[in-house]
Amino acid sequence: MFQNRMEALALALPAALFAAFVFLVPVFILLSEGFRAEGAWTLAPYVDFFDSELNRTVFWRTLKLGAIVTAVSAVIGYATAWSIVTLPPTARGRMIGLVVMPLMISPVARTYAWIVILGRTGFVNQTLVGLGIADSPIRFLFTETAVFIGLLQLFLPLMILSLISALENMPKDAVPAARVLGANWLQVFFKVILPLTKEGLVIGGTLVFTGSLTAYITPAILGGSKVLMLETLLYQRVTVANDFASASIIAMILMVMSFSANLLLKRLATARNKR
Amino acid sequence: MLKTFLASTVALAALTGAATAQDKKLVISVYGFAQDEFKEIVYDPFEAQCGCELVVETGNSVERLAKLEARKDDPEIDMAVMSTHDALAAARAEITQKIDVSRLSNYDKLYDIAKDPVGDNMGVGYTFYATSIAYRADEVTIESWEDLFQDKLKGRVAFPNVTTNQGPPALYMLGQAMGDDAASLEAPINKVAENKDDIVTFYVRSSQVAQLMQQEEILAAPIGRFAWGAYSKMGLDMAWATPKEGQTGGMNVMVLTKGAKNEDLAYDFMDFWLSTEIQTKLAEALVDSPANAEVEVADEIAENLTYGAETVKNLKLLPPDVILDNRDQWLDLWNEKVGQ
């Protein structure tokens, strides 16, 4: 397309310089804070960070909730996406519209709605008590359960949409062929659907996991300070303790977790492929 | 020639214009809350009176303190308002300077506790608030800070996080109720830790408590009096506790930046804000409780404020140096015991 490589590079240069100066350099400065103590380069701040029991608890909780939300949204996502792609085109369009709709509502509004729904006098508790399942209202708010429900609702649409596009790209006769050859539904899913849609799962999984790690509003409102996550801890370190060094450590941990999750999911996908 | 002359005239005019505007500009740094009311009651009338431009910067205390510190050698902000302990931190960091109270004509009208709350005249109090327990009178009775942990309130009470301005004073009063008033707050923090599963949440914003109360999620919580307005309008049987150990609270002060470029204007502005007229208007708008003892308001307004010599006299405020010197240890102890 270009007469020579130099021309192409020259055209890319302004954008590259812009990205370097307004993104990479500040990010480097911010993250390097965590590797410096008393003017020297060191890993000590990270050791100190993980030395604190609170920080470890928050780290594991963030990882655990992120993994559970991703896993559950994958299960629900496959079932939903499969039922949507098998619909006739008009109905499919409508259903996709319904899946997308929550994404158009502000996360703040969606999360506040959960405060009402999950409250003592909310819909869930009224139903549970009304049906005799619970004697008295159960406390959901400010628990890990509430944060899990909030995050799942927040990110499930992203998983469903990624899986819908993956399932749509799957050859139409792959599933009937497997069935004709005698595979049961479990085999069809694990040997045909999953390998053929793994790209969608990797994209959806990365979006959901990264989103769950870095969500601030939902854990802040539904979990509060009793269910601190890395993101809410980061906010606390900056706004309360004015401790930018810890904040940059948390930012670094979040970045590493996101990249690792993406790599891990990709690795899992290729591993299945080779088999 | 004519062209050059015209050009230089324009340039000169522009320069002098800029210089006058610069002379008559006051930069202040304030909390982000109730800015519409402040604009109407304080900023606009002051601008009209001084014929100057008022630049208002807002943000939370940490952001604003960080900014003041960053511009220490060349301050752009002339005066700021903050809590007494932040003002003490600023004074220790040599960001602020002593206020010459003789230049404030309204100074003598202030309640005694507002006159020099930081020490060395490093800040002048312009408002304060009581902190006590808001509770559902039809469900529970609260006569002591320890009543927060009564059986009826298990799973139905919220407590301020130690990181909020209400947290340490509430813990301090809890300590008093337990017969321990050590500045380490160890006893009350342990007490909260023992009961943490029965506390619905450790709130960070007062608006959050109002919502939980409205939803009947909680029946009691220690709150600042400035938030009381929302509770009295809920249509629930809400009451403001007067615990036997007393009420606590906090105070906000005005500080003058060291090396402020518009010191005269800053003094004029502080004096204006402390005047009986402005303090009355702010009280009537339920924005700030008056620190000016001459302010008189109607009973239904007074009910929503921390108002009157008697109330003010009985406030047990944590001294700013106690807060500042212990804050980090409180946070560590809290995180260790309560935050897990």
Side-chain angles (χ1 to χ4, degrees), chain B residues 139-142 146-154:
Chain B
E139 299 269 358
V140 286
T141 326
I142 294 208
E146 268 192 307
D147 288 345
L148 281 173
F149 301 108
Q150 60 181 285
D151 283 347
K152 275 189 181 168
L153 284 178
K154 290 204 181 310

Side-chain angles (χ1 to χ4, degrees), chain B residues 142-322:
Chain B
I142 294 208
E143 282 159 0
S144 158
W145 283 83
E146 268 192 307
D147 288 345
L148 281 173
F149 301 108
Q150 60 181 285
D151 283 347
K152 275 189 181 168
L153 284 178
K154 290 204 181 310
R156 304 295 296 276
V157 64
F159 198 86
N161 200 291
V162 75
T163 59
T164 63
N165 279 335
Q166 316 308 317
L171 285 166
Y172 176 66
M173 294 314 290
L174 182 60
Q176 297 242 314
M178 297 165 69
D180 179 332
D181 64 354
S184 70
L185 298 183
E186 206 176 323
I189 289 179
N190 281 330
K191 175 94 176 170
V192 170
E194 278 165 33
N195 291 282
K196 68 176 177 181
D197 291 337
D198 296 325
I199 296 171
V200 175
T201 187
F202 298 104
Y203 75 85
V204 288
R205 253 178 293 278
S206 45
S207 55
Q208 201 184 353
V209 195
Q211 190 195 4
L212 293 175
M213 198 68 90
Q214 179 80 69
Q215 254 181 250
E216 305 194 40
E217 200 71 29
I218 57 169
L219 300 174
I223 61 164
R225 188 73 186 184
F226 55 84
W228 177 247
Y231 294 82
S232 48
K233 287 180 217 134
M234 275 177 190
L236 298 169
D237 190 4
M238 297 297 310
W240 180 262
T242 41
K244 58 179 186 238
E245 300 85 18
Q247 301 184 31
T248 177
M251 187 177 332
N252 290 339
V253 298
M254 302 171 165
V255 297
L256 186 62
T257 322
K258 193 173 191 173
K261 297 192 178 78
N262 303 291
E263 211 178 291
D264 293 342
L265 269 181
Y267 273 107
D268 290 347
F269 181 67
M270 290 195 271
D271 203 26
F272 183 75
W273 193 335
L274 295 173
S275 69
T276 312
E277 185 197 343
I278 299 303
Q279 290 257 315
T280 308
K281 284 186 184 165
L282 285 170
E284 282 170 348
L286 301 184
V287 174
D288 273 338
S289 294
N292 182 324
E294 285 187 357
V295 172
E296 280 178 33
V297 292
D299 287 352
E300 64 268 23
I301 299 285
E303 216 164 83
N304 293 309
L305 298 169
T306 306
Y307 174 79
E310 197 59 30
T311 314
V312 173
K313 206 178 75 194
N314 291 322
L315 284 185
K316 291 188 179 169
L317 303 186
L318 268 175
D321 55 334
V322 171

Side-chain angles (χ1 to χ4, degrees), chain A residues 53-54 57 61 112 115-116 119-121 139 141-142 216 221 224-226 236-242, chain B residues 60 62 66 155-156 161 163 196-202 205 208 211-212 215-217 331 335 339-340:
Chain A
E53 201 185 328
L54 173 76
T57 313
R61 181 187 291 140
Y112 265 107
I115 290 211
V116 180
R120 285 181 71 87
T121 50
R139 176 137 53 92
L141 291 182
F142 312 110
Y216 171 74
I221 295 177
S225 48
K226 278 185 105 174
Q236 194 201 68
R237 294 317 302 169
V238 172
T239 58
V240 179
N242 202 9
Chain B
N60 68 39
V62 174
R156 304 295 296 276
N161 200 291
T163 59
K196 68 176 177 181
D197 291 337
D198 296 325
I199 296 171
V200 175
T201 187
F202 298 104
R205 253 178 293 278
Q208 201 184 353
Q211 190 195 4
L212 293 175
Q215 254 181 250
E216 305 194 40
E217 200 71 29
L331 185 59
N335 276 343
Q340 307 285 333

Side-chain angles (χ1 to χ4, degrees), chain A:
Chain A
M1 195 165 170
F2 294 107
Q3 287 178 344
N4 56 46
R5 257 177 80 82
M6 288 308 286
E7 209 169 293
L9 281 175
L11 283 173
L13 195 65
L17 282 178
F18 182 76
F21 280 104
V22 304
F23 177 68
L24 293 178
V25 173
V27 165
F28 175 77
I29 294 172
L30 179 76
L31 294 181
S32 64
E33 278 266 310
F35 291 102
R36 293 186 71 84
E38 287 152 17
W41 294 96
T42 168
L43 272 177
Y46 282 83
V47 176
D48 289 346
F49 182 83
F50 280 104
D51 208 31
S52 145
E53 201 185 328
L54 173 76
N55 292 347
R56 285 201 305 270
T57 313
V58 172
F59 172 79
W60 286 116
R61 181 187 291 140
T62 309
L63 192 63
K64 181 181 78 182
L65 275 173
I68 299 178
V69 169
T70 312
V72 173
S73 66
V75 174
I76 303 177
Y78 263 112
T80 318
W82 181 254
S83 62
I84 288 175
V85 292
T86 48
L87 288 172
T90 332
R92 189 192 306 177
R94 282 193 197 127
M95 292 304 286
I96 292 179
L98 279 180
V99 173
V100 173
M101 204 189 279
L103 294 176
M104 298 176 183
I105 302 167
S106 141
V108 180
R110 279 194 274 167
T111 308
Y112 265 107
W114 281 114
I115 290 211
V116 180
I117 296 169
L118 296 175
R120 285 181 71 87
T121 50
F123 171 76
V124 175
N125 266 317
Q126 275 183 349
T127 312
L128 289 177
V129 174
L131 293 176
I133 300 171
D135 292 336
S136 58
I138 297 170
R139 176 137 53 92
F140 289 111
L141 291 182
F142 312 110
T143 63
E144 284 187 13
T145 315
V147 178
F148 164 74
I149 293 174
L151 289 175
L152 184 64
Q153 193 250 359
L154 203 57
F155 296 114
L156 183 59
L158 299 177
M159 179 64 95
I160 297 177
L161 291 175
S162 309
L163 291 178
I164 286 177
S165 74
L167 285 169
E168 276 177 339
N169 289 331
M170 204 175 72
K172 294 276 168 287
D173 40 12
V175 173
R179 290 290 286 161
V180 165
L181 293 171
N184 64 30
W185 276 110
L186 267 185
Q187 287 170 317
V188 169
F189 179 76
F190 283 107
K191 304 237 154 144
V192 180
I193 299 179
L194 194 57
L196 287 174
T197 56
K198 60 176 195 288
E199 285 301 328
L201 184 63
V202 170
I203 294 170
T206 310
L207 287 175
V208 174
F209 186 75
T210 318
S212 304
L213 293 189
T214 54
Y216 171 74
I217 294 164
T218 304
I221 295 177
L222 291 176
S225 48
K226 278 185 105 174
V227 191
L228 276 178
M229 302 267 282
L230 282 175
E231 197 73 17
T232 38
L233 183 67
L234 189 156
Y235 184 81
Q236 194 201 68
R237 294 317 302 169
V238 172
T239 58
V240 179
N242 202 9
D243 175 5
F244 283 85
S246 291
S248 80
I249 290 174
I250 300 174
M252 186 64 155
I253 294 172
L254 284 169
M255 268 176 63
V256 171
M257 282 166 90
S258 303
F259 280 120
S260 319
N262 183 264
L263 286 178
L264 186 76
L265 283 166
K266 274 190 185 148
R267 181 66 59 84
L268 284 177
T270 32
R272 288 208 71 84
N273 224 11
K274 279 178 194 155
R275 212 186 283 168

